[in-house]
Amino acid sequence: MDDWENLPGRLIVISGASGSGKSTLVRLAMQRPEARTRLSVSATTRAPRPGEEDGRDYFFLSRPAFEELRERGQFLEWAEVHGNFYGTPVGPVRELLALGECVILEIDVQGALLVKERVPSALLIFVNVPSFSILESRLRDRATDSEETILRRLANARWELEQVHRYDFPLMNSELDQAVNDLVALLVQHGCGG
Ligand code: 5GP
């Protein structure tokens, strides 16, 4: 039985195209003392990038392991992004919400829309950038990805940017400090103050 709406905490969903800078934005906002939030750690079948740690950045799983968890209903949502599976482990999120915490999910658009269906009170924030060419250069600067991966991410980014109207709040990330301030203000306004 889905009774998400009776849990005292709040679910915050943050999406934005690859290269929108959303991870940096979320990390900086979470460090600010005015905001009190917890970040959900997703599971993924993609390989770790240099510097990424299992259990901190993601739970890195094989496809069969991911599929088994999915079949057992262990994900609040899951999606295939750029050829890999990603999912939000349901248990930790429910536990934190039961404790009255604000839980941030940094997930793609498909997953965000699934969460909104299941948990209508979830707040959906979309991190936007002033122009598509900014996304492209940010993706290319991240030299760890192959050309094929970059092109696939760019095509996906175009589609994602068109979905912004389905979110509760667009958040422009042109100047980082300003965007962090805006995100913290949104969080505090929605019951995630420190
Ligand atoms: P990356 O591979 O660059 O870390 O992430 C690729 C995309 O997958 C990003 O848009 C990221 O937000 C999304 N993502 C990360 N975790 C999840 C998740 O648990 N569920 C869904 N639906 N998307 C996720």
Side-chain angles (χ1 to χ4, degrees):
M1 178 54 198
D2 255 357
D3 58 349
W4 291 90
E5 299 298 274
N6 295 325
L7 298 172
R10 187 179 258 281
L11 207 46
I12 308 284
V13 179
I14 302 185
S15 307
S18 309
S20 63
K22 66 178 182 302
S23 305
T24 308
L25 194 54
V26 167
R27 186 166 42 79
L28 292 175
M30 289 185 73
Q31 285 169 1
R32 295 271 293 264
E34 310 93 289
R36 184 160 162 261
T37 54
R38 304 288 295 271
L39 187 63
S40 158
V41 178
S42 294
T44 183
T45 61
R46 97 153 151 68
R49 294 197 184 108
E52 283 184 335
E53 236 177 69
D54 188 42
R56 185 194 66 188
D57 300 287
Y58 281 105
F59 295 105
F60 294 99
L61 301 180
S62 66
R63 260 182 192 244
F66 189 100
E67 280 161 354
E68 194 198 322
L69 288 176
R70 189 180 66 192
E71 258 117 66
R72 290 186 9 224
Q74 298 293 304
F75 292 126
L76 165 58
E77 60 70 40
W78 71 275
E80 188 171 352
V81 188
H82 316 132
N84 291 299
F85 293 148
Y86 293 82
T88 303
V90 72
V93 173
R94 277 195 77 94
E95 279 162 28
L96 289 169
L97 291 177
L99 292 171
E101 301 278 357
C102 277
V103 184
I104 296 184
L105 311 184
E106 212 191 297
I107 63 177
D108 89 314
V109 172
Q110 307 167 75
L113 299 176
L114 289 170
V115 170
K116 190 72 176 179
E117 262 174 39
R118 211 165 157 185
V119 190
S121 65
L123 188 75
L124 266 57
I125 300 172
F126 191 92
V127 179
N128 226 330
V129 285
S131 80
F132 197 77
S133 58
I134 291 180
L135 278 188
E136 180 157 13
S137 55
R138 285 189 193 161
L139 272 177
R140 288 190 183 284
D141 288 348
R142 190 159 73 190
T144 54
D145 294 326
S146 69
E147 179 67 17
E148 189 197 342
T149 302
I150 290 171
L151 290 178
R152 195 161 48 179
R153 282 169 186 263
L154 283 171
N156 193 47
R158 276 190 199 281
W159 177 79
E160 292 206 312
L161 289 174
E162 287 161 15
Q163 310 305 315
V164 59
H165 64 280
R166 303 170 84 168
Y167 279 67
D168 299 307
F169 292 99
L171 188 82
M172 182 53 74
N173 186 16
S174 57
E175 208 272 303
L176 185 60
D177 283 347
Q178 183 60 48
V180 173
N181 286 341
D182 292 347
L183 178 54
V184 169
L186 259 180
L187 292 170
V188 171
Q189 248 173 49
H190 290 87
C192 307

